[in-house]
Amino acid sequence: MSNPLDAREFAALCSALADVSVPFSVPVVAGFDDDGLLAAQRTVAEIRRRADAAAAVIAGEIGHRSRRELGGSGLARRLGARTPEILVARVAGTSAREATSLVRVGAVMTAPTTDAAAPAPWLASVAAMVRAGGLSVDAADAIRVGLGVPDDFVSAESLRMAADALLVLASSLTIEQLAVRARDERAELDAAQVRDREQALRDRRFLRVVPQSDGMTRLAGLLDPESAAIVIGAYDAATSPLRGGPRFIDPDSVDRAERLLADERTIEQIALDAFVDIVRLGTEVAPDALLGSKKPAVRMLVTERDLASRHGVARIEGQTDPVSIGTVERHACEAGIIPVLFDGALQVVNLGRARRLFTPRQRIGLAARDGGCLFPGCDRPPSGCEAHHINEWKRDGGRTDIADGVLLCRHHHLLTHNNGWRVTRHQADYFVVPPPDLDTKQTPIPAPSKSAVMRRVRSQQLASA
């Protein structure tokens, strides 16, 4: 499908592929070896991307023939569908979300690249990658939504460059991670508007209590990033041992974790009971001691330069969307600031080998630097991670320095200790090294930080160089 097909050729191809008289047989995969199984998955994924690319350009043309200015003579309305997305979903048997993505991405793919009024011309390289089968429609839509549209602050050319940068990363990220990076790119380009977008998210927050006919009550709501940081912090604290969270060495923590693991309640039931207990306790204590003396920690991550200039963006640990400097100042007024200092090699200031375990202050530094589990492709937040010594503390004389420690979720921490994986460091860059049975050359795999603040620190250092 490298060359465009006309209607007759495409119809013939589709007829041959969809010929119901030819039985379609799925492979018997039990006999595949591991390499063959993964190769088959990659091949099917490429076939699907190419098929979805064809579906997108068709959906885009359906959208064009159903555009609003055509009124009742548009294709969708003539066939009884209110929108082209509804028509595509009905004809293709897809979900409304998938149909919407097909129409939106298809509109970009079918627009002439020379037309200045074409939809999202800054996404031309994204459209080309979808057309070539190298990028899925969902990934393209994640980039489109995350980058947004040009305005008085961000030019189309800036968005084009950001889209090109995201295409370089797309193959190594999940759709969800790509969406986060796309929003990060827009935030970096449009720091002045972060406060407005933060307020827009906050304006959408709600909690709804819905009595059910069976006597139960349903809670439904949306949390803005700042509120989510508090709620998720409490949720993690209540349920993390059951969800594969950090292991504990402290005897009291071990005892609590064992009690929780033996609990017959589901994770969801434990979370709900903890929420109810928090609300009950909150209504019983004095207003100035709401929820006791220790509330769930909300850690604000911001560079010193941005804080001093009062211009730029900040992050809430564990949340993907940026917040304004004003939000940082408000939290600083309430709780003070714990500085996390980086040296010229982008490492948090070290504390040495005197202690076997990383201190709470060091863990704050690791969280600020790594942004979660450092293993490539893992999206576990700092709250679900453990501090790992790159050089084993006893055997290799490893130091309890932040430079020699990384955050790993429990699964990947156990992988390094039990399955032969290693983490190495070259200056400020970290890599994971597979065991020889998976890669005889043991080629280091880059493990970049997941922290948006660290990317900003790095870019500021490069700008000052």
Side-chain angles (χ1 to χ4, degrees):
M1 295 181 64
S2 57
N3 296 318
L5 304 176
D6 62 23
R8 181 185 58 80
E9 293 170 330
F10 186 73
L13 174 62
C14 290
S15 177
L17 293 175
D19 187 354
V20 295
S21 66
V22 178
F24 176 76
S25 299
V26 297
V28 179
V29 299
F32 288 22
D33 61 20
D34 291 349
D35 291 339
L37 190 66
L38 296 177
Q41 186 70 77
R42 294 189 189 98
T43 300
V44 171
E46 182 170 353
I47 293 171
R48 180 175 179 179
R49 286 195 300 271
R50 291 176 179 270
D52 283 349
V57 295
I58 295 169
E61 183 63 20
I62 291 174
H64 178 69
R65 298 185 188 187
S66 307
R67 59 194 185 277
R68 182 173 300 177
E69 58 265 31
L70 295 177
S73 65
L75 177 59
R77 290 194 178 186
R78 281 195 292 109
L79 296 179
R82 183 169 51 86
T83 67
E85 291 82 5
I86 292 175
L87 178 59
V88 170
R90 188 174 72 192
V91 172
T94 65
S95 66
R97 185 198 64 78
E98 185 176 353
T100 299
S101 294
L102 287 171
V103 172
R104 291 191 302 205
V105 175
V108 179
M109 295 175 65
T110 56
T113 57
T114 57
D115 185 357
W122 55 91
L123 294 177
S125 59
V126 174
M129 185 71 78
V130 176
R131 189 180 292 276
L135 187 73
S136 71
V137 169
D138 283 344
D141 202 36
I143 294 174
R144 190 199 68 82
V145 173
L147 290 183
V149 299
D151 56 22
D152 293 340
F153 301 93
V154 178
S155 67
E157 177 61 17
S158 295
L159 291 181
R160 184 195 65 77
M161 294 174 63
D164 290 348
L166 289 169
L167 287 178
V168 175
L169 301 171
S171 63
S172 62
L173 300 176
T174 65
I175 301 297
E176 295 77 13
Q177 291 167 341
L178 184 61
V180 171
R181 288 301 295 268
R183 295 199 302 271
D184 283 349
E185 290 288 339
R186 180 61 190 234
E188 290 294 323
L189 293 171
D190 198 7
Q193 300 302 302
V194 165
R195 182 175 61 183
D196 293 340
R197 289 199 298 275
E198 179 188 7
Q199 185 60 46
L201 289 179
R202 182 166 174 77
D203 289 343
R204 292 172 55 196
R205 76 194 188 282
F206 74 91
L207 177 65
R208 187 176 298 132
V209 180
V210 185
Q212 305 285 95
S213 60
D214 59 358
M216 300 292 283
T217 298
R218 178 181 296 277
L219 292 178
L222 283 176
L223 299 170
D224 60 279
E226 188 176 348
S227 301
I230 297 172
V231 173
I232 292 174
Y235 175 83
D236 284 342
T239 64
S240 61
L242 281 176
R243 294 185 299 110
R247 297 162 297 165
F248 302 99
I249 298 177
D250 175 75
D252 292 338
S253 298
V254 170
D255 183 60
R256 177 188 175 279
E258 290 178 347
R259 290 198 308 272
L260 190 57
L261 290 170
D263 200 311
E264 295 183 355
R265 294 174 295 172
T266 65
I267 293 175
E268 291 80 6
Q269 289 170 338
I270 291 172
L272 187 279
D273 291 346
F275 174 73
V276 172
D277 285 342
I278 290 172
V279 174
R280 176 179 56 80
L281 291 171
T283 61
E284 293 177 354
V285 300
D288 60 349
L290 186 63
L291 301 185
S293 59
K294 184 179 181 181
K295 60 183 179 180
V298 177
R299 296 197 176 106
M300 312 297 298
L301 307 178
V302 61
T303 69
E304 185 178 17
R305 180 184 301 179
D306 287 344
L307 187 60
S309 67
R310 304 191 75 246
H311 176 79
V313 297
R315 306 281 167 165
I316 301 176
E317 184 181 295
Q319 298 296 303
T320 59
D321 281 272
V323 297
S324 62
I325 299 300
T327 298
V328 178
E329 292 174 334
R330 174 161 54 81
H331 276 269
C333 182
E334 176 185 356
I337 291 178
I338 299 175
V340 179
L341 302 179
F342 291 85
D343 60 22
L346 295 177
Q347 290 293 346
V348 180
V349 174
N350 295 323
L351 294 184
R353 180 175 164 77
R355 298 173 62 96
R356 165 66 178 89
L357 303 178
F358 288 95
T359 68
R361 282 284 295 271
Q362 287 178 306
R363 285 188 58 87
I364 292 174
L366 288 171
R369 188 198 66 198
D370 295 348
C373 178
L374 206 62
F375 207 92
C378 185
D379 57 4
R380 290 290 289 160
S383 60
C385 295
E386 303 169 348
H388 168 66
H389 289 84
I390 290 179
N391 299 307
E392 209 282 325
W393 195 77
K394 282 186 177 179
R395 185 188 64 211
D396 302 328
R399 294 169 56 85
T400 307
D401 287 346
I402 293 181
D404 290 332
V406 297
L407 287 186
L408 295 176
C409 69
R410 184 180 185 185
H411 168 73
H412 289 119
H413 200 178
L414 291 173
L415 198 70
T416 61
H417 285 283
N418 299 338
N419 290 64
W421 286 79
R422 293 185 294 112
V423 180
T424 63
R425 174 172 67 90
H426 177 67
Q427 297 179 347
D429 297 320
Y430 292 85
F431 303 85
V432 295
V433 180
D437 60 322
L438 293 181
D439 179 5
T440 56
K441 296 182 179 179
Q442 294 194 279
T443 306
I445 303 169
S449 168
K450 312 294 174 58
S451 170
V453 171
M454 271 299 296
R455 291 196 295 272
R456 189 164 180 82
V457 170
R458 188 184 293 270
S459 65
Q460 289 179 343
Q461 283 196 354
L462 291 174
S464 301

